Amino acid sequence: MVRRPNVRAVVVRVLIIGLFIGSYVTVWRPVRDWASAHVMAPLLAEVDTPRARQYAVSGERARAIEIRPVAGTELVAGMAAPTGLLFVIGSVFLLALYPTRLYWVYLGLYQWLLGGLMLGALAVGVGWTDWGFVLFDLLETDIYRGTSLGLPLLFAWLASHDTETESPPNS
């Protein structure tokens, strides 16, 4: 038997999602700007090796850093601050299904942890060896993008199994 949500539950979920999106745009986006310009870019600029002098790190673009060769203009690598559009999409999905659970917080923590690993890979690429850029590309394209939308589905699947094991058996 499929449960149908009542109107009040739908309105509450829509309000929660509206508050989430509103606070994301007004509060969290400036935090992401600050993180890329004042934390991520300076950390990469602190790498001081002979190889690192070949690259220029810029945090001027909103919510992102760019790495370019000093003698050229082509982009070697670029990284946006974590918890961007994929976070919003996944969080809205999770808030619509489970407004009382903090799955969206777990998704954000996961993305920031993965963002730290990606930043470390960029530091290795800037300072020591090209495989750091290769690792960054793998983490960004295959792991970060792939799992940021897959993780909400995993949370939903786990939550559905929790409710199945808690419900009494039909006799």
Side-chain angles (χ1 to χ4, degrees):
M1 181 174 178
V2 176
R3 287 184 349 181
R4 296 177 67 185
N6 61 22
V7 174
R8 183 177 180 269
V10 171
V11 169
V12 167
R13 289 173 188 209
V14 168
L15 285 173
I16 289 172
I17 290 170
L19 284 172
F20 171 79
I21 292 174
S23 56
Y24 177 85
V25 170
T26 58
V27 176
W28 195 245
R29 282 182 62 160
V31 170
R32 290 180 66 225
D33 286 343
W34 177 84
S36 65
H38 299 290
V39 176
M40 294 165 48
L43 281 174
L44 285 178
E46 286 294 317
V47 176
D48 189 20
T49 63
R51 177 184 165 90
R53 293 183 192 104
Q54 300 173 27
Y55 297 104
V57 178
S58 169
E60 295 171 6
R61 209 177 107 224
R63 296 173 292 285
I65 56 173
E66 295 178 339
I67 301 170
R68 300 181 186 279
V70 172
T73 58
E74 72 275 359
L75 183 67
V76 174
M79 179 181 167
T83 60
L85 180 63
L86 295 176
F87 169 72
V88 173
I89 292 170
S91 295
V92 166
F93 171 77
L94 291 169
L95 285 168
L97 293 179
Y98 310 105
T100 59
R101 297 188 183 174
L102 295 177
Y103 291 147
W104 64 276
V105 173
Y106 304 147
L107 178 63
L109 291 173
Y110 166 76
Q111 287 190 351
W112 277 100
L113 177 69
L114 198 52
L117 291 173
M118 291 166 34
L119 189 63
L122 280 179
V124 169
V126 166
W128 293 276
T129 181
D130 282 336
W131 67 259
F133 292 129
V134 173
L135 178 61
F136 167 77
D137 189 50
L138 171 77
L139 289 171
E140 181 189 37
T141 56
D142 297 336
I143 309 295
Y144 184 82
R145 291 182 187 165
T147 60
S148 289
L149 292 179
L151 202 57
L153 295 175
L154 176 65
F155 287 148
W157 181 78
L158 290 172
S160 72
H161 281 328
D162 281 348
T163 57
E164 287 175 8
T165 57
E166 291 174 4
S167 63
N170 294 339
S171 19

